[in-house]
Amino acid sequence: MGLWLEWPIRLFCVLEKVLPKFTCHFLSFRSFLLLPLKSALWFGVRPFRLLGLRCVLLARSRKSCVTVCALIVSISLFSTATLAESFAVDRTADAPVSLRVIDAYADVHSGPGRGYPVLYAIEEGELIEILARQPGWYEVRLRNGHTGWVGAAQISRTIQTTGEPADLPTVSYGDYLKNSFRVGFSSGAFTRGELKSADFWTLNGGYRAISWLGVEAEYGKFYGDELRGSFYGFNLLVEPFSQWQVSPYILVGAGNMDVGTQPKLVPVEIKKSDFIQYAVGASYYLGRNFVVKLEYRSYDVSTDSDNIGLGAWKIGFNTFF
Amino acid sequence: MENRFQYFLLRVLRHIKSGGISLLLLGVLITLLPVSASAQNNTQANLSTIDNELFDIGMQVGLINIEDFGSEIVLGTSATFKASEDFFLQFNFLRTDADYSSYERSQGAYFDGADRNFEHYDLLLGYNLFQAEFLADSGAANLAALYVVGGVGNTSFGGEASFTYTAGVGYQVVFARTFVLRLDYRDLIYTSNLINENKTTHNGVITAGVSFLF
């Protein structure tokens, strides 16, 4: 119930944002994305089964079915309440952000990139107003009314009107990415097992709750000479040294693989099979919001007769928001 | 007493088995997500409300040249995620219906029906090569960039689903601060068995599109 009540509010927010140049502060893209994520988790029956959970449709008795339904409704209502709460928090903070420059000077570019020309310079002690943020850059309004873009490194050397440091994060990758969503893709090839030499790509999205721990969902397709198919999975990512620019991680997850044959009919063991996957890899942070990953993944696929192993190398790209 | 404990523990065990408890735990975790997201740094409430401009979504229209078939008008949609000052990730979807080629017109169609739908989607990494200002007339300067993209994806055509490499170059201009106009050339490269065994095909796509940055 609660989930459906959220939609009209969000639609209104989008309209409010699109029509005039009105900023709808309480509609952050992050909370917008949370909704389908939640729905997917609640209503995706197969993922539940994969993770060893039983959802409504799989509940054995009518009684447990009712219990689970009641649980879902109550939790979604509760989450609406917490969302409403977060709206309230955000609304109180509508005032523009003013910062005082403590560097000798700061360059103001015409756009968010080092290639765009420098239009103005801000002197030490000058007050600037922050308007928007793009990766590595902030759009500011100067006292004379002109607007431009200042690099994040220079903005981080400013203080608030209260005298406190602005404390915009410097380069500490993992801490900055705490509480962030990420989306990305990867590509690679299987190197071991029945799907050997098949190319694949995956699309993935996830949430990083703690600086060193995240969850992700992924969907992919693979293309062998004779075997084609798709797979999806849910993973837990542990990245203990996420403050390093090159940081190792391990991944554990479960999923399902669906193999078909094309164009010839060749016998395969894997058809529609569940699997468990483990991976080790390293992330390289190319910027605060951007990471390149190299990884080796091992799959343990349970088929009708036996468990078979697969292995794959892949390279991936992810961005955080 | 002992029996009651046993009874209680067994009930809990049964619930765990049926997944009730794990579902509850998952529910609590999910419910906590927005709380933890909004509760971060109350003292910096102001800074956290700064508008983050990281995404744009949009539509494209253009021409595709399907190798061994004809040229068609193609419609597409895309979502772009700004990853850093230089890099971006882009997801694209293109669709068209392939008309009969000249050969097919005289000799008969290779295939028919839904197989003539050309559908392509890809996941691309983009890099802004040159950032510049575009001056439409003597008035205000618009931010522009020349970029290159490369990536992987899927093409469905003629009953085949093929692993596709995409490479391309494009030019973007931002108008009125929030609208991104993009002109793109992309080559969709995949191996096809429709005409010859394992033939590598190049399918050029030229599109123009508008995206909304938010």
Side-chain angles (χ1 to χ4, degrees):
Chain A
M1 278 289 280
L3 284 173
W4 309 121
L5 287 175
E6 287 172 19
W7 281 108
I9 306 173
R10 294 182 182 287
L11 187 70
F12 172 74
C13 287
V14 172
L15 286 178
E16 196 180 23
K17 175 141 196 181
V18 173
L19 293 174
K21 178 67 189 165
F22 234 76
T23 42
C24 190
H25 284 297
F26 52 96
L27 176 86
S28 62
F29 197 77
R30 167 185 292 190
S31 57
F32 186 74
L33 280 191
L34 211 61
L35 191 69
L37 186 76
K38 275 190 210 163
S39 327
L41 279 169
W42 285 129
F43 300 110
V45 177
R46 284 193 65 82
F48 274 121
R49 205 171 69 183
L50 276 171
L51 295 169
L53 307 170
R54 309 262 162 174
C55 193
V56 189
L57 296 176
L58 296 170
R60 277 180 204 144
S61 69
R62 177 169 289 198
K63 200 178 153 197
S64 52
C65 186
V66 171
T67 317
V68 175
C69 277
L71 200 72
I72 290 177
V73 169
S74 59
I75 286 177
S76 63
L77 276 174
F78 178 53
S79 70
T80 315
T82 57
L83 266 163
E85 196 181 303
S86 64
F87 291 171
V89 168
D90 286 355
R91 268 186 177 165
T92 57
D94 262 356
V97 186
S98 289
L99 299 173
R100 195 177 294 282
V101 180
I102 53 174
D103 255 7
Y105 75 97
D107 285 332
V108 182
H109 292 249
S110 68
R114 59 188 181 281
Y116 295 112
V118 178
L119 297 181
Y120 315 102
I122 320 170
E123 287 175 32
E124 187 179 349
E126 203 173 324
L127 262 183
I128 51 170
E129 199 179 300
I130 308 278
L131 301 175
R133 167 164 48 195
Q134 285 196 14
W137 293 83
Y138 287 85
E139 189 182 29
V140 302
R141 180 178 289 134
L142 311 184
R143 294 201 72 178
N144 60 12
H146 292 303
T147 58
W149 294 80
V150 181
Q154 284 193 307
I155 284 290
S156 70
R157 292 191 293 274
T158 53
I159 51 172
Q160 298 183 48
T161 43
T162 53
E164 291 171 76
D167 201 23
L168 296 162
T170 48
V171 196
S172 61
Y173 303 97
D175 292 342
Y176 179 72
L177 299 174
K178 187 178 157 185
N179 271 328
S180 63
F181 283 92
R182 66 193 181 82
V183 62
F185 70 92
S186 71
S187 182
F190 285 98
T191 52
R192 186 166 62 83
E194 210 169 26
L195 300 177
K196 193 175 172 180
S197 83
D199 294 323
F200 68 88
W201 54 256
T202 71
L203 173 66
N204 59 57
Y207 178 71
R208 195 166 194 164
I210 315 171
S211 62
W212 54 271
L213 183 72
V215 285
E216 71 163 19
E218 66 176 349
Y219 173 81
K221 282 195 167 180
F222 56 85
Y223 306 78
D225 287 338
E226 269 121 20
L227 302 177
R228 301 282 161 99
S230 61
F231 55 92
Y232 63 83
F234 298 90
N235 308 321
L236 200 66
L237 259 152
V238 181
E239 199 172 334
F241 310 107
S242 56
Q243 70 275 22
W244 297 354
Q245 189 166 18
V246 178
S247 115
Y249 67 88
I250 53 173
L251 177 149
V252 186
N256 183 281
M257 198 172 258
D258 188 1
V259 180
T261 51
Q262 185 193 354
K264 285 166 264 182
L265 284 171
V266 278
V268 273
E269 285 231 34
I270 309 172
K271 291 197 171 73
K272 244 184 160 115
S273 313
D274 292 342
F275 62 80
I276 297 172
Q277 54 188 355
Y278 316 92
V280 288
S283 298
Y284 176 62
Y285 289 86
L286 264 168
R288 238 190 251 146
N289 291 57
F290 186 44
V291 62
V292 181
K293 301 193 299 185
L294 190 67
E295 149 184 327
Y296 180 76
R297 194 173 284 199
S298 173
Y299 300 82
D300 192 12
V301 190
S302 43
T303 59
D304 289 341
S305 53
D306 206 358
N307 275 21
I308 54 172
L310 300 173
W313 277 100
K314 65 179 194 170
I315 184 167
F317 305 93
N318 273 99
T319 178
F320 297 84
F321 54 92
Chain B
M1 200 65 180
E2 192 183 322
N3 275 349
R4 255 187 225 166
F5 271 124
Q6 273 181 355
Y7 172 73
F8 178 72
L9 288 172
L10 281 172
R11 263 189 70 156
V12 172
L13 206 68
R14 213 182 64 197
H15 266 281
I16 291 174
K17 258 189 175 169
S18 71
I21 294 285
S22 359
L23 193 67
L24 184 76
L25 277 176
L26 190 76
V28 170
L29 268 176
I30 299 294
T31 313
L32 284 177
L33 277 180
V35 178
S36 59
S38 66
Q40 58 175 4
N41 266 336
N42 246 350
T43 54
Q44 290 178 33
N46 268 341
L47 292 173
S48 64
T49 56
I50 298 170
D51 189 16
N52 247 329
E53 295 179 336
L54 298 175
F55 314 91
D56 66 68
I57 50 175
M59 306 269 296
Q60 294 90 37
V61 62
L63 273 178
I64 182 169
N65 179 20
I66 308 169
E67 186 165 329
D68 298 320
F69 293 84
S71 287
E72 304 293 340
I73 289 175
V74 70
L75 280 177
T77 178
S78 71
T80 308
F81 298 76
K82 250 184 117 89
S84 74
E85 179 184 327
D86 302 313
F87 290 98
F88 59 88
L89 302 184
Q90 192 174 65
F91 306 136
N92 292 286
F93 176 75
L94 294 173
R95 195 191 174 286
T96 188
D97 292 319
D99 205 355
Y100 297 115
S101 62
S102 322
Y103 176 83
E104 282 179 300
R105 275 183 215 284
S106 62
Q107 305 297 319
Y110 289 119
F111 43 82
D112 251 317
D115 285 350
R116 298 210 71 97
N117 298 344
F118 184 98
E119 285 183 354
H120 168 85
Y121 53 85
D122 55 29
L123 315 159
L124 307 179
L125 176 69
Y127 181 77
N128 289 322
L129 271 184
F130 306 117
Q131 296 160 336
E133 288 183 332
F134 173 78
L135 301 142
D137 55 65
S138 54
N142 299 291
L143 300 178
L146 181 82
Y147 56 85
V148 286
V149 293
V152 291
N154 179 76
T155 305
S156 307
F157 180 57
E160 284 185 330
S162 316
F163 186 79
T164 308
Y165 291 98
T166 304
V169 60
Y171 184 72
Q172 69 171 43
V173 183
V174 183
F175 284 106
R177 189 65 180 74
T178 47
F179 293 97
V180 188
L181 178 73
R182 287 200 176 92
L183 300 171
D184 275 291
Y185 170 76
R186 271 158 205 190
D187 188 7
L188 317 178
I189 307 156
Y190 62 87
T191 307
S192 167
N193 291 302
L194 287 178
I195 310 288
N196 287 320
E197 279 273 298
N198 286 329
K199 182 185 179 189
T200 303
T201 64
H202 289 266
N203 305 272
V205 190
I206 298 172
T207 56
V210 178
S211 290
F212 178 64
L213 176 76
F214 61 99

